Amino acid sequence: MAGSDVITRAAPDTVKILIAGGFGVGKTTMVGSVSEITPLRTEERLTAAGLDVDDLDGIEEKTATTVALDFGRITISRDLVLYLFGTPGQQRFWFMWNDLALGALGAVVLIDVRRPESSFAAIDFFERRNIPFVVGVNGFYGDHPYPPDEIREALALPDDVQVLLCDARERESSRDVLIALIDQLIASAVHTGAARQTEK
Ligand SMILES: Nc1nc2c(ncn2[C@@H]2O[C@H](COP(=O)(O)OP(=O)(O)O)[C@@H](O)[C@H]2O)c(=O)[nH]1
Ligand SMILES: [Mg+2]
């Protein structure tokens, strides 16, 4: 019967994912490259007023910044839709992170391979709250000078946190990072479920 498919098919699960990391690491770029809807952006041109406040060392080419958040959506499969929330990177907007993290199942912490220290605070944020995350290493200018294991060591990441080399400008590459995160979330849910079963 025409339309029965529509009636019987359950609505997809929607999952909230944060795209986090320091200032200028490529969060807005990643949300923009994977989103299938025109991402909602709240970018403002960087102005002279922010010069003393925003640390532009090493990213002098940056001319706009996310003042509130980026929002995008990607359909992973018929059953799974991700809502992506790109966090603001500047220190003075950190107060928003707790609210943004509410209900988030996981996160991508992006790092700029040239200045990994700018994402330390984001890693720390998710570790403290036990929010699962993967690390996406955004190789600016397509450069990936360090293998994932070296980056893991430099960031003192535990073995279960995946480190993925990526290019935030590329849809496929950004999508791969999100799929790795989803795989990790599913694996840990299965693991927790199995542990509950054996407790019974
Ligand atoms: N060459 C290069 N530029 C990038 C890459 N990712 C982001 N950018 C640029 O770097 C700047 C900062 O990126 P943006 O996404 O705004 O960073 P955010 O502060 O983390 O949201 C922008 O001008 C981007 O166009 C990349 O992989 N390679
Ligand atoms: Mg941004």
Side-chain angles (χ1 to χ4, degrees):
M1 188 181 84
S4 63
D5 198 32
V6 177
I7 294 163
T8 52
R9 191 189 297 165
D13 284 326
T14 55
V15 169
K16 176 179 180 179
I17 300 292
L18 299 187
I19 312 291
F23 187 43
V25 296
K27 302 177 296 291
T28 298
T29 305
M30 179 172 264
V31 173
S33 76
V34 288
S35 184
E36 61 209 6
I37 54 171
T38 307
L40 170 71
R41 285 196 181 144
T42 49
E43 298 246 296
E44 292 289 339
R45 282 190 71 77
L46 287 170
T47 62
L51 272 183
D52 297 334
V53 195
D54 300 329
D55 180 10
L56 288 173
D57 277 359
I59 43 168
E60 287 80 2
E61 70 268 32
K62 195 169 160 65
T63 56
T65 190
T66 308
V67 285
L69 53 86
D70 303 302
F71 175 74
R73 186 190 72 198
I74 174 173
T75 304
I76 296 290
S77 69
R78 215 167 68 172
D79 311 319
L80 184 61
V81 173
L82 308 185
Y83 284 102
L84 306 176
F85 291 76
T87 58
Q90 294 145 291
Q91 295 290 344
R92 64 182 191 278
F93 290 109
W94 265 80
F95 68 91
M96 288 182 61
W97 279 49
N98 279 324
D99 286 347
L100 273 175
L102 285 177
L105 274 202
V108 172
V109 175
L110 270 183
I111 70 167
D112 175 343
V113 74
R114 305 166 301 177
R115 343 165 259 120
E117 66 288 348
S118 74
S119 293
F120 283 173
I123 289 171
D124 192 53
F125 178 91
F126 296 114
E127 277 183 340
R128 280 170 195 269
R129 286 163 185 78
N130 278 323
I131 297 174
F133 64 96
V134 297
V135 170
V137 183
N138 192 15
F140 273 67
Y141 307 102
D143 251 5
H144 282 294
Y146 312 108
D149 279 346
E150 228 168 279
I151 292 169
R152 175 194 308 288
E153 209 169 304
L155 299 176
L157 292 169
D159 285 345
D160 59 344
V161 174
Q162 298 180 78
V163 177
L164 305 136
L165 305 182
C166 69
D167 185 331
R169 299 165 300 177
E170 298 288 334
R171 181 183 165 81
E172 283 296 304
S173 176
S174 300
R175 195 169 187 271
D176 287 348
V177 174
L178 289 168
I179 287 173
L181 172 64
I182 296 304
D183 286 346
Q184 183 172 313
L185 294 175
I186 291 171
S188 76
V190 168
H191 184 78
T192 316
R196 286 218 188 94
Q197 284 294 323
T198 50
E199 272 166 25
K200 278 182 189 165

